[in-house]
Amino acid sequence: MKASDKVYESLRRDIVEWRLSPGTVLAEVEQSARLGVSRTPVREALARLVADGLAVQQRGRGAIVSEISDTHVEDLFVLRRALECESARLAARSTHGADFALLAQRFETAAQQLRAEAATEGYYQLVSELDEMIDGAANNTYLSSALRTLRVHLQRVRRLAKDNPERLLESAGEHAAIARAIASGKPEVAAAATTVHLHQSLEHIMTHAVATERTP
Amino acid sequence: MKASDKVYESLRRDIVEWRLSPGTVLAEVEQSARLGVSRTPVREALARLVADGLAVQQRGRGAIVSEISDTHVEDLFVLRRALECESARLAARSTHGADFALLAQRFETAAQQLRAEAATEGYYQLVSELDEMIDGAANNTYLSSALRTLRVHLQRVRRLAKDNPERLLESAGEHAAIARAIASGKPEVAAAATTVHLHQSLEHIMTHAVATERTP
DNA sequence: CGCAAGTTATTTGTATACATTTCTGCGAAG
DNA sequence: CTTCGCAGAAATGTATACAAATAACTTGCG
């Protein structure tokens, strides 16, 4: 693995997991010293972060971690709805129905399991499996690419709201509904189920958002 | 302006205007010699092109200009429809109605003008004005960002179909319809008008696509 | 004659030195 | 006391040298 990739991954994780707060200055020399590589790979990594929108370039002062406000979260979900609904429609028109039927069942059993114990880790794994399967079934590189960059931002936003067992249970049901709609080949139902899920998701985040502590 | 920006712009233009065919190898040393700068800014420019999707990185052989097939064009328009319809909806809900009414009129006069003479250049300027105004009215940074990268690819695709006076005339009418729908604050009509326009656009490209000459 | 392994040669990846721009702090003038 | 401007310092932008990896060629063997 290239050093620039390692630096990029490291910084990306630090940003989406809120170890680097918005407004933090990412100076090239400072980061290269911290991570033990020269400025060149650091510079490359910072350029990628700026391209992703996780940082914004300032003239003369390097890159700073980008801000996230309530408005940003709402804007993000508008884009997310447009992209994921379209993906769901395309997936519903694909020939991978059987796979999604299986996934729907797994979500239902996961829901039952979530009633008993908090299996958070495995559940998130299942969600990303569904995401990837929809991506694959939609079979559109440009859409997948747009979703990939979007999901980086979503990871960061997700940390704003604390995990909540009840919400996870609801979420499992919503995901099962999406998978079932795709499995039965109903594009508009799949899109509607996605809209419902995203609406609930956004609602949860906006009401359960923790104050973003800022380092003064 | 930074040297890396100049290199990026130069290469981007060369790719979207088909002076660099798909599959062309963009070697760092070769490009740095051609453009009279060192490898560092060239390398940065190539990374940006890869991030945009205009080039794909190959290990050991540098970056090559990405391919565009019929499938890619269709995929591109699926994403375009999702994004531009959403933008049009948001714009229709904004308070910039009067601006769009004015723009609608300009499209109608442009249509009359296009019947008399081929004012291609000014017309494309008008189209991009509408795009920018919709972007501004939608007021969503993530959506704008996604559209910006999308439009780079669209510029490239547009060169596949030769300019055609009749199509331009139809296009002017379709754009006027979009602007009117936004001006009158009707989100779903605006989205529908956008869908119609994009459908016609894609149809035109697919039927009038010129064979992409490949340098052997 | 074909295949494979070793070798060479080219290309990318990284480090570092230098140039240029920009921020910051101090001082003087208004 | 505020504001403008200059000088120093520190950061980014660029060039180049070196290291590592990979592709292509050559040569030897089956």
Side-chain angles (χ1 to χ4, degrees), chain A residues 2-4 36-41 59-61:
Chain A
K2 293 193 296 184
S4 62
V37 292
S38 87
R39 271 182 58 210
T40 309
R59 28 181 260 176
R61 214 185 313 188

Side-chain angles (χ1 to χ4, degrees), chain A residues 77-97:
Chain A
F77 268 74
V78 166
L79 177 58
R80 189 184 179 190
R81 193 175 68 78
L83 295 180
E84 294 205 346
C85 282
E86 194 60 44
S87 269
R89 280 193 199 94
L90 291 172
R93 290 196 191 96
S94 78
T95 57
H96 298 66

